[in-house]
Amino acid sequence: MRTSITAGPRLAITLLTVIPLRAGPADRTTAGRAMTLAPAAGLAVGAVAAVVLVAGDRAGLGHLTAAALAVVSMALMTRALHLDGLADIADGLGSARPAAEALAIMKRSDIGPFGVVALVLTLLVQVAALAQASGHRHGAAAVMIAAVTGRLAVTWACREGVPAARPDGLGALVAGSVRTPAAAVVTALVLAAAALSGAASAGIRGAVVATFSVIAGLTVAAGMRWHTTRRLGGITGDVLGALVELGSTAALIVLAVL
């Protein structure tokens, strides 16, 4: 059965945003294409957040309130699934239990104290960093770069050689589905776009800071991916959600100084 050329992009949008596209059944090939194109879904989420941020600033709400609304819009655009994944990972790893027990904790519907703390601190940092970037007049670019960076972390988390922690679920579908050369090409495109965006805001310094923000986000996400793979035996959907939030947050922190 031939896979439609649009199946991958549609699945990426369907999995990573609330945009209602008919993706159809997903096989490993389609999943690999979707995860390769995950940064495109991030661009859509970031664009919505940028519009909210600019509108809030122009309405006189102030940088902090506008930044908070932009962060809220990103949560709404993703049904807060990535935040939920971050909370579940915090609870699972924070329990210090063996892998099987930690995975069981992560599957529970409730959120424990580790998850609550992780959510509160992450959202506070995101809002503060975005407000700072907005005060420097490049908040729109910052939120878009951060959103794309977080999803690029997902692309690398699904590359060849990365195992799934469970035999079923999203992690099992997408783990190891992305070819490393494809991930490298997408990364080069994201870095180039970030550099151009930074240069438009603050010249050469802006290009350097924007490029470093992507690298910082990927580095933080890679560290968490390594840790969760070592502790849990591989990736899960919750791991991917956590990587989105941590990668985006790290990028925003760097962009706050631009």
Side-chain angles (χ1 to χ4, degrees):
M1 179 177 174
R2 289 184 65 184
T3 301
S4 168
I5 194 172
T6 63
R10 282 187 282 120
L11 182 61
I13 295 296
T14 300
L15 288 177
L16 299 173
T17 75
V18 296
I19 299 174
L21 295 182
R22 184 175 298 176
D27 55 21
R28 290 279 294 173
T29 300
T30 303
R33 292 174 181 170
M35 295 301 98
T36 301
L37 295 172
L43 184 61
V45 173
V48 170
V51 170
V52 171
L53 181 70
V54 172
D57 278 337
R58 291 184 176 178
L61 296 179
H63 299 315
L64 186 61
T65 301
L69 291 175
V71 171
V72 168
S73 73
M74 288 196 288
L76 294 176
M77 279 289 292
T78 60
R79 295 186 293 270
L81 288 178
H82 305 321
L83 290 169
D84 179 66
L86 175 64
D88 287 342
I89 282 293
D91 283 333
L93 297 181
S95 70
R97 302 287 181 83
E101 294 181 41
L103 287 169
I105 290 172
M106 289 161 54
K107 289 194 71 173
R108 295 175 185 170
S109 59
D110 60 331
I111 298 179
F114 291 108
V116 171
V117 171
L119 286 179
V120 170
L121 294 181
T122 299
L123 290 172
L124 280 175
V125 172
Q126 287 180 356
V127 170
L130 184 54
Q132 181 80 357
S134 186
H136 293 161
R137 299 186 181 279
H138 61 269
V143 74
M144 292 179 70
I145 292 172
V148 171
T149 300
R151 279 69 181 180
L152 182 58
V154 169
T155 300
W156 281 103
C158 297
R159 66 175 176 79
E160 301 162 313
V162 178
R166 297 190 183 99
D168 55 4
L170 178 61
L173 175 65
V174 301
S177 65
V178 175
R179 296 178 62 85
T180 300
V185 170
V186 173
T187 301
L189 293 174
V190 170
L191 287 170
L196 289 173
S197 179
S201 298
I204 295 177
R205 179 179 179 275
V208 171
V209 172
T211 301
F212 182 70
S213 73
V214 176
I215 295 172
L218 292 179
T219 301
V220 169
M224 174 57 79
R225 185 187 70 235
W226 174 84
H227 181 57
T228 54
T229 300
R230 183 179 63 87
R231 281 278 286 108
L232 305 176
I235 65 169
T236 67
D238 286 333
V239 170
L240 297 180
L243 296 183
V244 169
E245 295 299 333
L246 293 176
S248 298
T249 303
L252 276 176
I253 291 172
V254 175
L255 289 163
V257 306
L258 177 59

